[in-house]
């Protein structure tokens, strides 16, 4: 005959809410459940580390990962999550040595150094922070434009040396200048309101979005064909990500289409601009100046063709490095890493965990130069194991 449930005091201690008794074999309580291990292989602001620790993770902070590849490979073997910036290459080899890995967090917006296809094949999620540093980069672009217009690097160097040749430092005002933005995404959308009170006009070109996109009218900018934009702009701001169709887009022929005396600001991704051709046009005086925060090779090699040229401002990929932006990036990525480790969908995924799916197109998730459009809102949800879908190219 079936018996009813045991009285409360006859059930096991776990069922009554009490911890189990010590084991007979060891005389100790069972070990606590293993906490997820998060390997942080590059610099991360403390707010991000605290978010991970508060979420129950054991954080292994090894910010010298790019310079200690052997140690990185050893540590990643036991990691459930890996956080990187833009120096550690998360490729097939590194992923193969990380059998426990469930998620890679990219502390930034671009994904040039993360092999999304390899991650998708292994069911490893990739999360990042699109838009978290847009304001910081937009302000930096404006600062670079002003530095070029007023020849601030040369003025600072002259002042530091004690030289006082004011006539050699005559600059120009932005009020009558035109600005072309190549790649009007989140950063470009943050930049336009900063430019509008200062410049004569703003126009744009985006390789994947045509003149019919309603976003241009909403922002109050004109869309132009690429060659027309090059011939029109006094300042060309390049915010494009590095993809197969954007690699070398501004080659020698296209750079020569820029109007004589134009200036170039590059803060998207290195590799979009032919740096040797740019150096040649600067030396011959066709272009008046250039400011590059991103390079084809980072850091550049000893034969950098742009180093030491007058009118050139070179910075070490620092456009997004503000206290506020880096805090936003770190906490946003840490929160998404915790969501993946808990089996919850992340808010900003470049690759979602799941069974192997079709390989993503190279660089498809590294779009620093693309912002949300009306088509994005209607786009279908991402399929596990793939990159989230994009609206059709226009």
């Amino acid at each position: 005959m079936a018996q009813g449930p045991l009285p409360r005091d006859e059930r096991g201690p776990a069922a009554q809410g009490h911890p189990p008794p010590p084991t007979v074999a060891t005389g100790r309580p069972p070990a606590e459940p293993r906490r997820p291990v998060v390997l942080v292989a590059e610099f991360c602001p403390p707010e991000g580390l605290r978010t991970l620790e508060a979420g129950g993770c054991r954080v292994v902070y090894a910010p010298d990962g790019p310079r200690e590849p052997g140690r990185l490979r050893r540590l990643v073997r036991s990691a459930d999550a890996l956080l990187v910036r833009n120096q550690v290459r998360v490729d097939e080899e590194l992923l193969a040595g990380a059998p426990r890995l469930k998620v890679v967090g990219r502390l930034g917006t671009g994904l040039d150094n993360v092999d999304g296809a390899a991650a998708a094949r292994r069911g490893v999620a990739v999360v990042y922070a699109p838009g978290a540093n847009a304001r910081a980069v937009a302000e930096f672009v404006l600062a670079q434009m002003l530095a070029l217009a007023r020849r601030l690097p040369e003025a600072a160097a002259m002042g530091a040396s004690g030289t006082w040749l004011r006539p050699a430092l005559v600059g120009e005002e932005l009020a009558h200048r035109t600005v072309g933005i190549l790649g009007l995404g989140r950063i470009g959308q943050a930049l336009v309101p900063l430019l509008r009170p200062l410049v004569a006009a703003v126009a744009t070109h985006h390789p994947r979005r045509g003149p019919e996109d309603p976003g241009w009218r909403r922002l109050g900018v004109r869309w132009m064909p690429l060659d027309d934009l090059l011939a029109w702009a006094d300042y060309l701001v390049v915010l494009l990500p590095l993809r197969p169709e954007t690699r070398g887009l501004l080659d020698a022929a296209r750079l020569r289409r820029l109007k004589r005396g134009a200036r170039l600001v590059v803060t998207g991704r290195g590799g979009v601009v032919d740096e040797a051709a740019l150096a040649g046009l600067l030396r011959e005086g066709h272009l008046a100046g250039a400011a590059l925060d991103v390079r084809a090779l980072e850091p550049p090699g000893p034969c950098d063709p742009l180093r030491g040229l007058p009118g050139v401002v070179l910075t070490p990929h620092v456009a997004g490095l503000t206290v506020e932006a880096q805090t936003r990036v770190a906490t946003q990525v840490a929160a998404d890493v915790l969501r993946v480790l808990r089996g919850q969908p992340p808010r900003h995924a470049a690759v979602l965990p799941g069974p192997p799916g079709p390989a993503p197109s190279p660089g498809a998730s590294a779009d620093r130069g693309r912002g949300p459009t009306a088509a994005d809102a209607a786009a279908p949800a991402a399929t596990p194991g793939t990159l989230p879908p994009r609206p059709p190219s226009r």
Side-chain angles (χ1 to χ4, degrees), residues 112-340:
D112 311 60
N113 58 315
V114 179
D115 188 336
R121 287 193 298 269
R122 294 181 175 276
V124 175
V126 179
V127 298
Y128 66 134
N133 64 2
R135 175 72 188 198
V137 179
E139 290 183 0
F140 188 87
V141 169
L142 181 57
Q144 294 285 60
M145 290 176 58
L146 290 165
L148 291 174
R150 300 306 304 270
R151 305 183 66 178
L152 290 183
E154 298 99 314
M158 193 176 289
S161 68
T163 309
W164 205 260
L165 299 175
R166 296 174 63 241
L169 297 172
V170 176
E172 66 179 31
E173 298 174 4
L174 295 181
H176 305 290
R177 309 299 169 182
T178 56
V179 180
I181 302 177
L182 187 51
L184 192 67
R186 293 178 177 90
I187 295 167
Q189 291 175 45
L191 175 63
V192 169
L194 302 180
L195 291 175
R196 193 174 287 120
L198 298 175
V199 304
V202 181
T204 188
H205 176 84
H206 196 292
R208 294 189 173 189
R209 295 161 64 182
E212 74 282 357
D213 193 306
W216 313 141
R217 181 176 299 175
R218 176 176 57 82
L219 288 167
V221 299
R222 295 170 55 195
W223 183 93
M224 287 185 176
L226 177 56
D227 288 348
D228 292 352
L229 185 74
L230 298 178
W232 174 83
D234 294 305
Y235 288 79
L236 182 69
V237 178
V238 183
L239 298 174
L240 288 172
L242 185 63
R243 294 197 184 102
E245 69 267 27
T246 63
R247 185 180 292 277
L249 180 67
L250 295 183
D251 56 14
R254 281 213 169 98
L255 288 171
R256 191 166 285 281
R257 290 192 180 102
L258 286 162
K259 64 165 64 174
R260 177 169 287 275
R263 292 173 169 86
L264 189 68
V265 177
V266 186
T267 60
R269 277 293 183 266
V272 176
V273 177
D274 183 332
E275 295 177 2
L278 173 60
L281 290 171
L282 288 162
R283 277 193 292 266
E284 70 180 58
H286 182 82
L287 298 180
L292 291 88
D293 187 55
V294 291
R295 307 298 302 277
L297 177 65
E298 294 186 359
C303 299
D304 181 2
L306 294 167
R307 188 176 299 156
L309 291 182
V312 174
V313 181
L314 302 176
T315 50
H317 204 149
V318 296
L321 293 184
T322 65
V323 172
E324 297 86 353
Q326 291 307 299
T327 299
R328 288 192 297 269
V329 166
T331 54
Q332 181 174 307
V333 170
D336 263 349
V337 165
L338 291 175
R339 289 186 185 99
V340 173

Side-chain angles (χ1 to χ4, degrees), residues 31-90:
E32 293 183 2
R34 178 183 178 274
R35 289 192 295 161
V37 176
V38 180
L39 173 59
V40 182
E42 297 188 62
F43 167 74
C44 178
E47 292 84 356
L49 303 179
R50 287 197 290 265
T51 299
L52 293 166
E53 291 170 344
C57 296
R58 183 167 72 86
V59 177
V60 178
Y61 190 53
D64 290 329
R67 292 170 293 282
E68 298 181 347
R71 182 170 181 246
L72 172 63
R73 287 192 295 269
R74 288 194 301 274
L75 292 174
V76 80
R77 292 173 192 161
S78 60
D80 299 277
L82 171 66
L83 266 63
V84 300
R85 297 184 74 83
N86 60 0
Q87 295 300 307
V88 171
R89 299 207 63 81
V90 184

